[in-house]
Amino acid sequence: MHRPKKQAALGFIFATLLIDVMGLAIVIPVFPKLIQHLIGGTLSDASPYAGWLTVAYAGTQFIFSPLIGNLSDRFGRRPVLLCSLLGFCADYLFQAFAPTIGWLFLGRLLAGVTGASFTTGTAYIADISEPEKRAANFGLVGVAFGLGFILGPVIGGFLSKIDLHYPFIAAALLAFLNAVYGYLILPESLSSENRRPLELKKSNPIGTLMKLSKYKAVLGLAASLFLIYFAAQAVQSVWTFYTMYKFNWNEGAVGLSLGVVGLVYAVVQGGLTRIIIPKFGTKKVYG
């Protein structure tokens, strides 16, 4: 892939990850109120539902991620990324117009099945990056995550003051527009000779985890990432409910607080890593 095309592709992947995180973050400040509205209960009544909705999304991702990864190895990154974006679009529309709590669960299950944009996006970056630039390019993932968490909650808090459903509609629109943009300009990164046949026995999560035992370094890294994401998701799952219950925060205040978290994350991941890694090397920085 020529340099101008690589830059355009990196720009699209950055936009895809940014929009995905924005879409997820936009709805965080308003999720408790939406659940309350659908179940006709209190904030405390809504919190278990939020936990189970998170389990539904994460559980389907755990089950289907190996299959999605194998599909991207067989058919290429581009179609999987585009389908993932359309899946997120459908999920947000489910949430925006859900008449019952059951429709929310259906939308979260759909998003979990198709929600492979981050894993496929990072695979795309690996495909098109030279070894010496790979770590710096992966820093874009951190920037996208940070910026998404700066803009998403703030926008969600603002839109929710107009209408409770507007943040979900905005997230669906962002996902759809990015899918259209990707369909028009995104080249495929995985050449035909580097693709491999789809093997269902390699597409189950248990088998994938068992394979990690053969690679001690990767197993340690996976365990470390599990603990990091476990802690991060635990805080994210209760933050909105806790601050609304304990401090009587509204959606706008919750959005601003999460925006500050995103700002710090973006500065560290997008700024410091691109300075420190070239200077000290990947092994010293992450070792």
Side-chain angles (χ1 to χ4, degrees), residues 145 220-236 265 269 286:
F145 190 91
L221 178 61
S224 176
L225 289 173
F226 169 80
L227 293 175
I228 291 171
Y229 287 120
F230 182 85
Q233 290 299 320
V235 173
Q236 185 187 113
Y265 192 94
Q269 291 292 320
Y286 292 106

Side-chain angles (χ1 to χ4, degrees), residues 91-112:
D91 171 43
Y92 296 134
L93 290 175
F94 269 109
Q95 294 180 74
F97 301 107
T100 64
I101 192 70
W103 283 92
L104 279 189
F105 278 98
L106 183 60
R108 289 281 76 190
L109 290 172
L110 175 63

